[in-house]
């Protein structure tokens, strides 16, 4: 999918269920950001961060930018926060089998899966036996 920088929202629109390969997603995201004119510093260990000056010290020098995004494994630990434990609760529910009229009425006639990742992660899809499954 195209990455849209203004507003800092992203979405994935697919006709069926989706499985994301984190490594491939990361490399595709980096490529999309580069096409938008962003500079990506892969395999660069960040050191001291100056939020006011918007700079990060690295082993090879300083990086300055209007916006800096850190991504990778162990980013919190790298800055002395230790492991971050985030409690996550999930849910999933399914309706009774729906008629084609009901499916059209709720806008799911194309049977495409969907998800929203703004504040809470919510997703949904139609099952093969015409139930609307929603979770988060």
């Amino acid at each position: 999918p195209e990455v849209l920088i203004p507003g800092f929202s992203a979405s994935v629109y697919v006709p069926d269920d989706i499985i994301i390969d984190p490594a491939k997603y990361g490399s595709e995201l980096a490529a999309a950001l580069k096409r938008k004119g962003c500079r990506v510093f892969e395999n660069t260990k960040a050191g001291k961060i100056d939020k006011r000056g918007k700079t990060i010290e690295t082993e090879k020098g300083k990086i300055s930018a209007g916006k800096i995004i850190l991504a990778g494994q162990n980013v919190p630990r790298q800055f002395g926060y230790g492991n971050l434990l985030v409690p996550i609760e999930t849910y999933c529910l399914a309706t009774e089998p729906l008629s084609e009229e009901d499916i059209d009425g709720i806008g799911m006639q194309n049977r495409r899966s969907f998800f929203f990742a703004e504040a809470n992660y919510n997703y949904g899809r139609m099952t093969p036996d015409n139930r609307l499954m929603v979770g988060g």
Side-chain angles (χ1 to χ4, degrees):
E2 185 174 350
V3 176
L4 304 173
I5 302 301
F8 300 97
S9 296
S11 64
V12 177
Y13 180 73
V14 294
D16 299 306
D17 290 342
I18 184 170
I19 297 173
I20 294 178
D21 174 340
K24 184 175 180 183
Y25 180 75
S27 64
E28 300 261 342
L29 179 61
L33 290 169
K34 287 177 185 178
R35 287 192 301 273
K36 294 282 186 182
C38 296
R39 292 184 63 196
V40 176
F41 297 87
E42 295 184 64
N43 300 315
T44 301
K45 186 175 180 180
K48 183 179 174 187
I49 299 175
D50 178 357
K51 292 180 184 178
R52 287 188 175 177
K54 297 183 181 178
T55 62
I56 294 180
E57 290 182 15
T58 72
E59 297 166 340
K60 297 179 182 178
K62 287 186 178 182
I63 299 171
S64 298
K67 292 188 186 281
I68 298 173
I69 300 169
L70 299 176
Q73 294 179 338
N74 298 319
V75 171
R77 187 179 311 142
Q78 187 173 331
F79 297 102
Y81 297 113
N83 289 333
L84 282 181
L85 299 177
V86 180
I88 297 176
E89 294 181 21
T90 63
Y91 69 90
C92 185
L93 59 92
T95 66
E96 293 288 329
L98 302 174
S99 68
E100 290 301 321
E101 183 181 5
D102 290 336
I103 292 169
D104 290 348
I106 62 172
M108 291 296 292
Q109 61 274 16
N110 60 15
R111 304 184 67 83
R112 291 192 169 112
S113 59
F114 60 88
F115 74 88
F116 305 97
E118 282 291 323
N120 297 316
Y121 180 81
N122 297 293
Y123 63 90
R125 66 179 175 88
M126 295 301 301
T127 63
D129 65 345
N130 287 346
R131 297 170 191 268
L132 175 63
M133 186 176 76
V134 180

